[in-house]
Amino acid sequence: KAWLGQFSRTAAGEVERKGVRVMALCPGFTHTELHQRAGQDTSGIPEFMWLDADQVVAEAMRDYARGRRVSVPAARYKFLTALGMVTPPQLLDRITAFLRL
């Protein structure tokens, strides 16, 4: 995920002078049919972590209009992203393994 964000920032910088805008959308868990169609079990994901698709789209469009290169909708995901940036990688690995994300 970090790679995608950096790639999008770099791509945006390279093509903006040509009138092309690039923004990565990192929506977190969003209520759509994606997981069901993929046959993924989402029963272990707490309801408070899910976002409404309309909310994600509205926040993404607002970020796009503001010229952001990476959009992370919802305060909870902004917080988790910031926390992930200051947490040692080994600890993140352990947390991820524990939560089975």
Side-chain angles (χ1 to χ4, degrees):
K1 292 177 186 176
W3 179 88
L4 177 60
Q6 188 55 48
F7 176 82
S8 297
R9 286 182 188 94
T10 301
E14 290 180 5
V15 299
E16 68 184 346
R17 68 182 184 287
K18 296 178 182 178
V20 177
R21 293 172 58 189
V22 175
M23 182 184 80
L25 173 59
C26 306
F29 297 112
T30 305
H31 284 297
T32 67
E33 68 279 353
L34 174 77
H35 298 96
Q36 180 184 15
R37 287 183 179 226
Q40 296 176 335
D41 178 17
T42 59
S43 62
I45 302 168
E47 185 58 34
F48 75 89
M49 292 300 293
W50 289 93
L51 301 175
D52 176 72
D54 291 336
Q55 173 193 2
V56 170
V57 170
E59 291 192 40
M61 296 305 293
R62 185 189 69 228
D63 287 346
Y64 183 80
R66 291 178 177 171
R68 297 220 171 123
R69 294 181 175 180
V70 177
S71 175
V72 180
R76 65 189 137 229
Y77 284 112
K78 285 179 174 78
F79 172 76
L80 289 173
T81 300
L83 186 61
M85 296 175 120
V86 298
T87 303
Q90 298 84 355
L91 181 56
L92 281 177
D93 291 345
R94 286 183 174 171
I95 293 168
T96 302
F98 175 75
L99 297 174
R100 293 178 286 169
L101 293 176

